[in-house]
Each structure stands twice: as C-alpha cells, then as structure tokens.
Amino acid sequence: MRITTWNVNSVRARLDRVIAWLEANTPDLLCMQEIKTLPETFPHEAFEAIGYRLAVHGQKTYNGVAFASRAEPAEVTRGMPGDPEDAEARIIAATVDGVRVVNVYVVNGKAVGDPKYDFKLRWLDRFREYLQAELENHETLLVCGDFNIAPEDRDVHDPDLWRGKVLFSEPEKEKFQAMLGIGLKDALRLHNSEPGVYTWWDYRMGGFRRNLGLRLDHFLVSEAAAKRIREVTVDREERGGEKPSDHAPVTAVLD
DNA sequence: ATGGTGGGTTCCCCA
C-alpha cells in the first residue's frame, strides 16, 4: 500500500499538477493539506474521473485537508472533539484498507512571540491528546501531513540560521518529541538517517534552486504500522517546473 | 532587520 502526503497550496490552483501526479504515481491514498476551499467548491469531478474517491474538510480561503483514495474511506471524522463549530479545518481522519489515517495541517505560527505562535503550541497540546485517543482505538495508526516543524538539525539546510525561529524553535521541537512520546515513530527515520532530506522550500529568495529546504511533512506511525513501513521518499522533482506547490509530495510504502 | 514569492470569491492576510 502506498500513501502520499502533500501540501498542495490550493487544490484549485494546483489541480492540473495534482491530477497528473496521481495518474503518474497511482498511490492508494493521497492526503492533501492547504486545499484552501470549501467542500462545495472542491474540484471533485477531476479526481473521480481518474478513479479516486474523496473525503474533504475545507474552509474558504485558508487551510483545509482532504483524502483522495482508491478504496472508499470509512469512519471519516473531521476536526478534533471539543473543537468549536467555526474551528479552522486542519484535521480529517479515515480508515482506508484497514489503516487508520489522520491527515493534519498544523498551525504555521507566523513567528516566535506572535500570538499565532502561542496558539500553535497550545493547538499541538490538544492535537497530541487527540492522537492519544486515536492510538487507544486503532492499533495500526498513521498520522501524516504538514507539521510545520523540522524535528532535528539534519532536517534543516542551515540549523544555526534557523535555530530559535518559527518551524525550528525549541518549544516546537519539544511538542514534536511529545507526539513521539505517546508511542509514534517518525517513519522516514526508520530507514533513512541522512541529513538533507527536505520537503519544503520557500518560494522566496530562490529557495528551491539553492536547496534551502526544511523537512516539515511527516509520517508518524504506531508500532504496528511501523513494522509495515518499507520506505518513505520525497518526490523532489515535483517541486520544480511551472507553478509548483512549495511542498513536495512524500510517499510511504507499507506492506 | 528586511525582503523576496505565491495564493485567495484578494485591494490585505496568510504562508
């Protein structure tokens, strides 16, 4: 089974590229983040025409997450229990081919010290509690998406430049470790300890051309799911060309 | 410390 996570940065702006990528790569499940649209304006037809079924949790303009899968997604849930009605659309979960998958777009945080940064840290506490409950209910759990945190020095092109900055500050990294602490593993690191594996490059300053990347998109997996992980790879090539997302697709292969 | 680039039911906000 192949599962891909991809922050597409607007599913409508990226539609041709996403559909072409699906046709070329045929994952069993695609987890999208930052779809930036409501379910009623999501381009359903293009996905259905190539044999994918959809489950969408969207909002206007910002955020939004969605699944596109070969098999029908079951037990679909949107958001976290206790979220207010108008909460940002950042989480969708479903069971696909017997695997429980949580698809997340974590709060960006803007800058250390900004109110959005404090909101990010608090949101991550609630998210960890939500994952703990998912773990109790599902032995084979896979959490994927844009975590907006680079966990370690080897995940950052210039750790000393980024140290203390949003996406790489100590409190954010502690929240990431706390998610591992409930019994999840960083799936890419099960089989790859190399530095320089990035999933995001800023549009600005020629970030991709100069390979100024960070690893922000992750698969966190339960013990049972970890045993089934064969590899996790980044499709760097998809970050190039005309009108790319600023994130590359990341694919996990499971037995 | 600043700015640069890209997307959105856009003329500012978010990343």
Side-chain angles (χ1 to χ4, degrees):
Chain A
M1 185 185 189
R2 280 174 296 132
I3 302 176
T4 299
T5 182
W6 191 7
N7 179 326
V8 296
N9 187 19
S10 170
V11 70
R12 290 188 292 175
R14 215 68 58 210
L15 185 60
D16 291 351
R17 282 189 74 132
V18 172
I19 295 298
W21 192 90
L22 277 176
E23 288 188 290
N25 293 277
T26 65
D28 298 284
L29 173 65
L30 172 65
C31 305
M32 288 172 272
Q33 301 89 37
E34 281 208 273
I35 61 169
K36 295 189 172 179
T37 198
L38 286 160
E40 51 265 42
T41 43
F42 190 99
H44 286 84
E45 299 77 10
F47 288 84
E48 285 160 3
I50 59 166
Y52 281 91
R53 299 156 193 255
L54 292 161
V56 178
H57 183 34
Q59 68 181 87
K60 205 204 285 194
T61 309
Y62 302 119
N63 312 315
V65 285
F67 289 120
S69 62
R70 293 281 184 200
E72 186 71 27
E75 302 173 81
V76 178
T77 59
R78 292 168 176 80
M80 290 189 267
D83 263 351
E85 283 292 309
D86 61 349
E88 296 171 337
R90 296 184 176 278
I91 298 169
I92 189 167
T95 304
V96 179
D97 294 332
V99 179
R100 184 64 174 172
V101 182
V102 174
N103 173 9
V104 63
Y105 174 53
V106 171
V107 176
N108 173 284
K110 191 179 171 80
V112 173
D114 190 279
K116 289 188 173 72
Y117 176 81
D118 297 324
F119 175 70
K120 178 181 193 174
L121 297 181
R122 293 196 308 275
W123 192 92
L124 284 164
D125 285 334
R126 287 201 295 135
F127 182 56
R128 190 196 64 248
E129 288 166 13
Y130 161 79
L131 292 182
Q132 208 148 12
E134 284 288 318
L135 259 178
E136 282 162 20
N137 293 320
H138 307 279
E139 197 186 356
T140 304
L141 177 69
L142 187 151
V143 186
C144 67
D146 177 2
F147 286 73
N148 269 316
I149 302 171
E152 299 179 63
D153 281 14
R154 59 183 166 170
D155 302 313
V156 179
H157 68 92
D158 185 345
D160 290 330
L161 177 73
W162 279 88
R163 219 172 295 288
K165 302 272 203 317
V166 73
L167 311 177
F168 194 57
S169 72
E170 296 306 319
E172 291 166 275
K173 287 187 272 187
E174 284 165 17
K175 300 299 183 192
F176 188 88
Q177 291 304 318
M179 286 189 274
L180 302 184
I182 65 170
L184 295 170
K185 290 198 154 47
D186 180 347
L188 182 128
R189 292 308 183 197
L190 294 172
H191 302 297
N192 184 344
S193 57
E194 293 297 305
V197 179
Y198 309 135
T199 66
W200 171 83
W201 298 260
D202 203 309
Y203 284 125
R204 297 165 285 190
M205 306 284 287
F208 184 61
R209 179 175 50 78
R210 298 159 64 200
N211 196 25
L212 309 179
L214 304 182
R215 189 170 71 96
L216 302 180
D217 302 87
H218 309 295
F219 286 89
L220 304 191
V221 295
S222 66
E223 290 284 356
K227 288 185 183 134
R228 291 176 55 183
I229 295 284
R230 282 300 145 255
E231 62 170 10
V232 177
T233 54
V234 181
D235 184 1
R236 273 184 62 98
E237 213 168 293
E238 182 58 32
R239 180 60 179 78
E242 287 293 303
K243 281 195 156 285
S245 169
D246 47 352
H247 293 254
V250 186
T251 299
V253 180
L254 286 78
D255 285 336

